[in-house]
Amino acid sequence: MCSAAWLAMRFNGTVALVMAAGCSRRFGSADKRRALLPNGQPLLLSTVARVRAFFPHWRLVWRCRDDLESFGLPAHTPVIHAPGASGGLGCSLADAACAIRTDPLLATVDSAAIFLGDMPAIRRDTLSTLLAQTDRSAILRPTYRGQVGHPVVFGRDFWDELAALDGDTGARNLIRRFHSHYRELSVSDPGVTFDIDTTEDIDQTAH
């Protein structure tokens, strides 16, 4: 099999989850997901566009009350509603994991890549590096200059554990419990650690 075909198979074997159901308290009163980047594109749309370009399988993890079209997203966007979102990232991840593990369209998918909705600068070659290493029993995370980043890729063997998460700590405790299955991959991509938490962070996307 040629390398291009093999890489396409790896992307096809992973579902990307864009986590966009949380409340961005550090950003102030405005909805961070609507914030305009220096190129004029809203933050969430930019992240979604990047993920869609890479992954045949992807889902937007979304608040039940939010209207997709008001964010510029089409009505047919593949959404997982997160009724537990107010409880924190762990609760949103649990809602997402519950949905994907029983989704018949994802029956042949063996890993899930967890993206944050405020990280619009991750490169394709970084994703290729990660997906080349993943399998059902691996947890992978990129690092840049010693700092951990996203996406974190969870093999399907850990989806039941993701579905049991709670609170606002995300999957950190799960990673600690299964540390023997966890690997960090050093990459040259600052986009894996750059997220937008404040209005000042917006300006940095232009550099």
Side-chain angles (χ1 to χ4, degrees):
M1 182 183 297
C2 70
S3 59
W6 180 85
L7 185 56
M9 181 184 71
R10 297 308 302 153
F11 275 93
N12 196 57
T14 301
V15 57
L17 301 177
V18 180
M19 308 304 297
C23 297
S24 307
R25 296 181 178 89
R26 282 189 288 173
F27 201 76
S29 59
D31 192 321
K32 178 172 68 173
R33 297 171 296 177
R34 302 181 189 274
L36 295 181
L37 300 177
N39 63 6
Q41 188 172 27
L43 172 57
L44 179 60
L45 281 183
S46 183
T47 301
V48 166
R50 188 161 295 241
V51 169
R52 286 182 59 193
F54 300 149
F55 292 91
H57 303 295
W58 70 282
R59 302 288 187 272
L60 180 68
V61 184
W62 198 239
R63 300 176 196 165
C64 300
R65 67 181 182 273
D66 287 342
D67 178 65
L68 288 168
E69 295 183 69
S70 73
F71 284 82
L73 293 159
H76 62 267
T77 297
V79 164
I80 294 172
H81 285 119
S86 61
L89 179 59
C91 295
S92 294
L93 281 170
D95 289 332
C98 285
I100 63 173
R101 65 180 177 170
T102 58
D103 188 335
L105 297 177
L106 303 176
T108 61
V109 166
D110 61 12
S111 61
I114 311 301
F115 288 81
L116 303 183
D118 60 358
M119 299 183 72
I122 300 169
R123 300 195 313 241
R124 182 186 179 93
D125 63 302
T126 299
L127 300 176
S128 300
T129 297
L130 280 173
L131 297 188
Q133 301 288 328
T134 193
D135 59 50
R136 291 180 64 100
S137 61
I139 303 172
L140 301 177
R141 190 168 201 176
T143 65
Y144 176 71
R145 295 183 177 178
Q147 183 179 353
V148 295
H150 283 80
V152 186
V153 185
F154 289 90
R156 195 176 190 114
D157 288 353
F158 304 100
W159 290 8
D160 286 348
E161 302 291 338
L162 286 173
L165 291 177
D166 196 4
D168 200 32
T169 58
R172 288 197 294 267
N173 290 336
L174 190 158
I175 290 172
R176 291 190 192 102
R177 286 172 54 203
F178 295 97
H179 195 73
S180 62
H181 296 267
Y182 171 71
R183 283 183 289 154
E184 294 179 352
L185 300 178
S186 178
V187 298
S188 60
D189 180 3
V192 302
T193 59
F194 178 69
D195 61 344
I196 293 174
D197 288 323
T198 67
T199 54
E200 289 76 16
D201 292 334
I202 293 287
D203 294 334
Q204 295 185 40
T205 63
H207 303 297

PDB file of all heavy atoms in Angstrom, residues 13-40:
ATOM      1  N   GLY A  13      -9.727   6.082  10.059  1.00  0.00           N
ATOM      2  CA  GLY A  13      -9.907   5.244  11.239  1.00  0.00           C
ATOM      3  C   GLY A  13      -9.971   6.002  12.545  1.00  0.00           C
ATOM      4  O   GLY A  13      -9.971   5.402  13.619  1.00  0.00           O
ATOM      5  N   THR A  14     -10.042   7.331  12.461  1.00  0.00           N
ATOM      6  CA  THR A  14     -10.097   8.183  13.648  1.00  0.00           C
ATOM      7  C   THR A  14     -11.267   9.140  13.530  1.00  0.00           C
ATOM      8  O   THR A  14     -11.507   9.713  12.464  1.00  0.00           O
ATOM      9  CB  THR A  14      -8.798   8.988  13.801  1.00  0.00           C
ATOM     10  OG1 THR A  14      -7.692   8.087  13.910  1.00  0.00           O
ATOM     11  CG2 THR A  14      -8.835   9.877  15.034  1.00  0.00           C
ATOM     12  N   VAL A  15     -12.002   9.315  14.614  1.00  0.00           N
ATOM     13  CA  VAL A  15     -13.031  10.344  14.656  1.00  0.00           C
ATOM     14  C   VAL A  15     -12.485  11.534  15.439  1.00  0.00           C
ATOM     15  O   VAL A  15     -11.894  11.370  16.509  1.00  0.00           O
ATOM     16  CB  VAL A  15     -14.341   9.817  15.297  1.00  0.00           C
ATOM     17  CG1 VAL A  15     -14.122   9.284  16.705  1.00  0.00           C
ATOM     18  CG2 VAL A  15     -15.411  10.902  15.281  1.00  0.00           C
ATOM     19  N   ALA A  16     -12.632  12.711  14.869  1.00  0.00           N
ATOM     20  CA  ALA A  16     -12.196  13.932  15.536  1.00  0.00           C
ATOM     21  C   ALA A  16     -13.374  14.531  16.294  1.00  0.00           C
ATOM     22  O   ALA A  16     -14.469  14.688  15.737  1.00  0.00           O
ATOM     23  CB  ALA A  16     -11.670  14.934  14.515  1.00  0.00           C
ATOM     24  N   LEU A  17     -13.158  14.860  17.551  1.00  0.00           N
ATOM     25  CA  LEU A  17     -14.176  15.501  18.381  1.00  0.00           C
ATOM     26  C   LEU A  17     -13.738  16.928  18.675  1.00  0.00           C
ATOM     27  O   LEU A  17     -12.689  17.152  19.281  1.00  0.00           O
ATOM     28  CB  LEU A  17     -14.356  14.746  19.698  1.00  0.00           C
ATOM     29  CG  LEU A  17     -14.776  13.276  19.588  1.00  0.00           C
ATOM     30  CD1 LEU A  17     -14.829  12.646  20.980  1.00  0.00           C
ATOM     31  CD2 LEU A  17     -16.121  13.145  18.891  1.00  0.00           C
ATOM     32  N   VAL A  18     -14.515  17.893  18.213  1.00  0.00           N
ATOM     33  CA  VAL A  18     -14.218  19.306  18.459  1.00  0.00           C
ATOM     34  C   VAL A  18     -15.032  19.745  19.671  1.00  0.00           C
ATOM     35  O   VAL A  18     -16.261  19.853  19.618  1.00  0.00           O
ATOM     36  CB  VAL A  18     -14.565  20.174  17.237  1.00  0.00           C
ATOM     37  CG1 VAL A  18     -14.231  21.642  17.525  1.00  0.00           C
ATOM     38  CG2 VAL A  18     -13.813  19.689  16.002  1.00  0.00           C
ATOM     39  N   MET A  19     -14.343  19.998  20.775  1.00  0.00           N
ATOM     40  CA  MET A  19     -15.012  20.326  22.034  1.00  0.00           C
ATOM     41  C   MET A  19     -15.360  21.821  22.041  1.00  0.00           C
ATOM     42  O   MET A  19     -14.486  22.677  22.122  1.00  0.00           O
ATOM     43  CB  MET A  19     -14.105  19.981  23.222  1.00  0.00           C
ATOM     44  CG  MET A  19     -13.558  18.556  23.203  1.00  0.00           C
ATOM     45  SD  MET A  19     -14.841  17.278  23.111  1.00  0.00           S
ATOM     46  CE  MET A  19     -15.693  17.576  24.666  1.00  0.00           C
ATOM     47  N   ALA A  20     -16.660  22.110  21.928  1.00  0.00           N
ATOM     48  CA  ALA A  20     -17.092  23.510  21.829  1.00  0.00           C
ATOM     49  C   ALA A  20     -18.348  23.751  22.654  1.00  0.00           C
ATOM     50  O   ALA A  20     -19.182  24.593  22.307  1.00  0.00           O
ATOM     51  CB  ALA A  20     -17.349  23.866  20.368  1.00  0.00           C
ATOM     52  N   ALA A  21     -18.496  23.021  23.763  1.00  0.00           N
ATOM     53  CA  ALA A  21     -19.702  23.144  24.588  1.00  0.00           C
ATOM     54  C   ALA A  21     -19.466  23.874  25.896  1.00  0.00           C
ATOM     55  O   ALA A  21     -20.404  24.083  26.654  1.00  0.00           O
ATOM     56  CB  ALA A  21     -20.268  21.746  24.884  1.00  0.00           C
ATOM     57  N   GLY A  22     -18.219  24.263  26.153  1.00  0.00           N
ATOM     58  CA  GLY A  22     -17.902  24.867  27.435  1.00  0.00           C
ATOM     59  C   GLY A  22     -18.173  26.359  27.487  1.00  0.00           C
ATOM     60  O   GLY A  22     -18.504  26.991  26.479  1.00  0.00           O
ATOM     61  N   CYS A  23     -18.037  26.919  28.675  1.00  0.00           N
ATOM     62  CA  CYS A  23     -18.180  28.365  28.895  1.00  0.00           C
ATOM     63  C   CYS A  23     -16.790  28.971  29.052  1.00  0.00           C
ATOM     64  O   CYS A  23     -16.008  28.514  29.887  1.00  0.00           O
ATOM     65  CB  CYS A  23     -18.999  28.644  30.141  1.00  0.00           C
ATOM     66  SG  CYS A  23     -20.699  28.037  30.059  1.00  0.00           S
ATOM     67  N   SER A  24     -16.506  29.980  28.261  1.00  0.00           N
ATOM     68  CA  SER A  24     -15.164  30.576  28.249  1.00  0.00           C
ATOM     69  C   SER A  24     -15.130  31.775  29.186  1.00  0.00           C
ATOM     70  O   SER A  24     -15.199  32.927  28.756  1.00  0.00           O
ATOM     71  CB  SER A  24     -14.801  30.987  26.817  1.00  0.00           C
ATOM     72  OG  SER A  24     -14.967  29.906  25.936  1.00  0.00           O
ATOM     73  N   ARG A  25     -15.004  31.515  30.459  1.00  0.00           N
ATOM     74  CA  ARG A  25     -15.112  32.581  31.452  1.00  0.00           C
ATOM     75  C   ARG A  25     -13.959  33.581  31.370  1.00  0.00           C
ATOM     76  O   ARG A  25     -14.124  34.757  31.653  1.00  0.00           O
ATOM     77  CB  ARG A  25     -15.184  31.967  32.850  1.00  0.00           C
ATOM     78  CG  ARG A  25     -16.447  31.115  33.060  1.00  0.00           C
ATOM     79  CD  ARG A  25     -16.504  30.530  34.448  1.00  0.00           C
ATOM     80  NE  ARG A  25     -17.722  29.759  34.648  1.00  0.00           N
ATOM     81  CZ  ARG A  25     -17.840  28.469  34.368  1.00  0.00           C
ATOM     82  NH1 ARG A  25     -16.810  27.802  33.871  1.00  0.00           N
ATOM     83  NH2 ARG A  25     -18.979  27.830  34.564  1.00  0.00           N
ATOM     84  N   ARG A  26     -12.767  33.114  30.986  1.00  0.00           N
ATOM     85  CA  ARG A  26     -11.613  34.019  30.949  1.00  0.00           C
ATOM     86  C   ARG A  26     -11.682  34.991  29.779  1.00  0.00           C
ATOM     87  O   ARG A  26     -10.935  35.963  29.732  1.00  0.00           O
ATOM     88  CB  ARG A  26     -10.312  33.205  30.879  1.00  0.00           C
ATOM     89  CG  ARG A  26      -9.895  32.632  32.208  1.00  0.00           C
ATOM     90  CD  ARG A  26      -8.506  32.039  32.135  1.00  0.00           C
ATOM     91  NE  ARG A  26      -8.460  30.799  31.391  1.00  0.00           N
ATOM     92  CZ  ARG A  26      -7.355  30.148  31.071  1.00  0.00           C
ATOM     93  NH1 ARG A  26      -6.176  30.649  31.418  1.00  0.00           N
ATOM     94  NH2 ARG A  26      -7.399  29.020  30.404  1.00  0.00           N
ATOM     95  N   PHE A  27     -12.567  34.727  28.826  1.00  0.00           N
ATOM     96  CA  PHE A  27     -12.653  35.585  27.648  1.00  0.00           C
ATOM     97  C   PHE A  27     -13.536  36.801  27.897  1.00  0.00           C
ATOM     98  O   PHE A  27     -13.609  37.692  27.072  1.00  0.00           O
ATOM     99  CB  PHE A  27     -13.191  34.779  26.469  1.00  0.00           C
ATOM    100  CG  PHE A  27     -12.875  35.380  25.125  1.00  0.00           C
ATOM    101  CD1 PHE A  27     -11.603  35.279  24.590  1.00  0.00           C
ATOM    102  CD2 PHE A  27     -13.852  36.058  24.412  1.00  0.00           C
ATOM    103  CE1 PHE A  27     -11.304  35.839  23.350  1.00  0.00           C
ATOM    104  CE2 PHE A  27     -13.565  36.609  23.169  1.00  0.00           C
ATOM    105  CZ  PHE A  27     -12.287  36.498  22.642  1.00  0.00           C
ATOM    106  N   GLY A  28     -14.208  36.836  29.022  1.00  0.00           N
ATOM    107  CA  GLY A  28     -15.102  37.947  29.301  1.00  0.00           C
ATOM    108  C   GLY A  28     -16.539  37.606  28.954  1.00  0.00           C
ATOM    109  O   GLY A  28     -16.918  36.442  28.857  1.00  0.00           O
ATOM    110  N   SER A  29     -17.345  38.632  28.730  1.00  0.00           N
ATOM    111  CA  SER A  29     -18.773  38.426  28.499  1.00  0.00           C
ATOM    112  C   SER A  29     -19.088  37.957  27.082  1.00  0.00           C
ATOM    113  O   SER A  29     -20.163  37.403  26.835  1.00  0.00           O
ATOM    114  CB  SER A  29     -19.542  39.714  28.802  1.00  0.00           C
ATOM    115  OG  SER A  29     -19.077  40.775  27.968  1.00  0.00           O
ATOM    116  N   ALA A  30     -18.197  38.191  26.146  1.00  0.00           N
ATOM    117  CA  ALA A  30     -18.441  37.790  24.759  1.00  0.00           C
ATOM    118  C   ALA A  30     -18.268  36.280  24.598  1.00  0.00           C
ATOM    119  O   ALA A  30     -17.557  35.642  25.369  1.00  0.00           O
ATOM    120  CB  ALA A  30     -17.485  38.522  23.826  1.00  0.00           C
ATOM    121  N   ASP A  31     -18.932  35.719  23.599  1.00  0.00           N
ATOM    122  CA  ASP A  31     -18.795  34.295  23.296  1.00  0.00           C
ATOM    123  C   ASP A  31     -17.517  34.094  22.480  1.00  0.00           C
ATOM    124  O   ASP A  31     -17.430  34.541  21.333  1.00  0.00           O
ATOM    125  CB  ASP A  31     -20.012  33.807  22.498  1.00  0.00           C
ATOM    126  CG  ASP A  31     -20.077  32.290  22.388  1.00  0.00           C
ATOM    127  OD1 ASP A  31     -19.008  31.654  22.219  1.00  0.00           O
ATOM    128  OD2 ASP A  31     -21.182  31.741  22.451  1.00  0.00           O
ATOM    129  N   LYS A  32     -16.539  33.452  23.081  1.00  0.00           N
ATOM    130  CA  LYS A  32     -15.240  33.275  22.432  1.00  0.00           C
ATOM    131  C   LYS A  32     -15.362  32.591  21.077  1.00  0.00           C
ATOM    132  O   LYS A  32     -14.586  32.869  20.157  1.00  0.00           O
ATOM    133  CB  LYS A  32     -14.320  32.476  23.345  1.00  0.00           C
ATOM    134  CG  LYS A  32     -12.954  32.177  22.751  1.00  0.00           C
ATOM    135  CD  LYS A  32     -12.017  31.552  23.766  1.00  0.00           C
ATOM    136  CE  LYS A  32     -12.406  30.175  24.186  1.00  0.00           C
ATOM    137  NZ  LYS A  32     -11.374  29.543  25.039  1.00  0.00           N
ATOM    138  N   ARG A  33     -16.309  31.709  20.944  1.00  0.00           N
ATOM    139  CA  ARG A  33     -16.449  30.945  19.702  1.00  0.00           C
ATOM    140  C   ARG A  33     -16.729  31.838  18.501  1.00  0.00           C
ATOM    141  O   ARG A  33     -16.458  31.462  17.361  1.00  0.00           O
ATOM    142  CB  ARG A  33     -17.559  29.903  19.858  1.00  0.00           C
ATOM    143  CG  ARG A  33     -17.263  28.865  20.935  1.00  0.00           C
ATOM    144  CD  ARG A  33     -18.469  27.994  21.218  1.00  0.00           C
ATOM    145  NE  ARG A  33     -19.583  28.761  21.761  1.00  0.00           N
ATOM    146  CZ  ARG A  33     -20.775  28.242  22.039  1.00  0.00           C
ATOM    147  NH1 ARG A  33     -21.012  26.959  21.814  1.00  0.00           N
ATOM    148  NH2 ARG A  33     -21.732  29.008  22.547  1.00  0.00           N
ATOM    149  N   ARG A  34     -17.281  33.039  18.755  1.00  0.00           N
ATOM    150  CA  ARG A  34     -17.589  33.988  17.685  1.00  0.00           C
ATOM    151  C   ARG A  34     -16.457  34.989  17.434  1.00  0.00           C
ATOM    152  O   ARG A  34     -16.543  35.785  16.497  1.00  0.00           O
ATOM    153  CB  ARG A  34     -18.858  34.768  18.027  1.00  0.00           C
ATOM    154  CG  ARG A  34     -20.103  33.922  18.257  1.00  0.00           C
ATOM    155  CD  ARG A  34     -21.286  34.838  18.553  1.00  0.00           C
ATOM    156  NE  ARG A  34     -22.454  34.122  18.996  1.00  0.00           N
ATOM    157  CZ  ARG A  34     -23.364  33.583  18.197  1.00  0.00           C
ATOM    158  NH1 ARG A  34     -23.225  33.680  16.880  1.00  0.00           N
ATOM    159  NH2 ARG A  34     -24.411  32.964  18.701  1.00  0.00           N
ATOM    160  N   ALA A  35     -15.435  34.989  18.265  1.00  0.00           N
ATOM    161  CA  ALA A  35     -14.363  35.977  18.151  1.00  0.00           C
ATOM    162  C   ALA A  35     -13.710  35.911  16.774  1.00  0.00           C
ATOM    163  O   ALA A  35     -13.452  34.821  16.249  1.00  0.00           O
ATOM    164  CB  ALA A  35     -13.318  35.745  19.237  1.00  0.00           C
ATOM    165  N   LEU A  36     -13.446  37.071  16.195  1.00  0.00           N
ATOM    166  CA  LEU A  36     -12.859  37.124  14.863  1.00  0.00           C
ATOM    167  C   LEU A  36     -11.335  37.082  14.949  1.00  0.00           C
ATOM    168  O   LEU A  36     -10.715  37.834  15.707  1.00  0.00           O
ATOM    169  CB  LEU A  36     -13.293  38.393  14.131  1.00  0.00           C
ATOM    170  CG  LEU A  36     -14.781  38.516  13.796  1.00  0.00           C
ATOM    171  CD1 LEU A  36     -15.043  39.814  13.039  1.00  0.00           C
ATOM    172  CD2 LEU A  36     -15.264  37.320  12.977  1.00  0.00           C
ATOM    173  N   LEU A  37     -10.753  36.194  14.163  1.00  0.00           N
ATOM    174  CA  LEU A  37      -9.301  36.128  14.038  1.00  0.00           C
ATOM    175  C   LEU A  37      -8.822  37.238  13.113  1.00  0.00           C
ATOM    176  O   LEU A  37      -9.621  37.869  12.407  1.00  0.00           O
ATOM    177  CB  LEU A  37      -8.909  34.762  13.481  1.00  0.00           C
ATOM    178  CG  LEU A  37      -9.321  33.555  14.322  1.00  0.00           C
ATOM    179  CD1 LEU A  37      -8.944  32.262  13.612  1.00  0.00           C
ATOM    180  CD2 LEU A  37      -8.691  33.610  15.702  1.00  0.00           C
ATOM    181  N   PRO A  38      -7.516  37.507  13.064  1.00  0.00           N
ATOM    182  CA  PRO A  38      -7.009  38.558  12.180  1.00  0.00           C
ATOM    183  C   PRO A  38      -7.373  38.366  10.707  1.00  0.00           C
ATOM    184  O   PRO A  38      -7.454  39.340   9.961  1.00  0.00           O
ATOM    185  CB  PRO A  38      -5.492  38.474  12.388  1.00  0.00           C
ATOM    186  CG  PRO A  38      -5.354  38.010  13.798  1.00  0.00           C
ATOM    187  CD  PRO A  38      -6.468  37.012  13.970  1.00  0.00           C
ATOM    188  N   ASN A  39      -7.636  37.112  10.298  1.00  0.00           N
ATOM    189  CA  ASN A  39      -8.032  36.879   8.902  1.00  0.00           C
ATOM    190  C   ASN A  39      -9.523  37.094   8.676  1.00  0.00           C
ATOM    191  O   ASN A  39     -10.023  36.882   7.563  1.00  0.00           O
ATOM    192  CB  ASN A  39      -7.643  35.463   8.457  1.00  0.00           C
ATOM    193  CG  ASN A  39      -8.365  34.371   9.247  1.00  0.00           C
ATOM    194  OD1 ASN A  39      -9.249  34.647  10.061  1.00  0.00           O
ATOM    195  ND2 ASN A  39      -7.972  33.125   9.010  1.00  0.00           N
ATOM    196  N   GLY A  40     -10.250  37.507   9.712  1.00  0.00           N
ATOM    197  CA  GLY A  40     -11.662  37.802   9.585  1.00  0.00           C
ATOM    198  C   GLY A  40     -12.588  36.626   9.815  1.00  0.00           C
ATOM    199  O   GLY A  40     -13.807  36.787   9.813  1.00  0.00           O
TER     200      GLY A  40
END
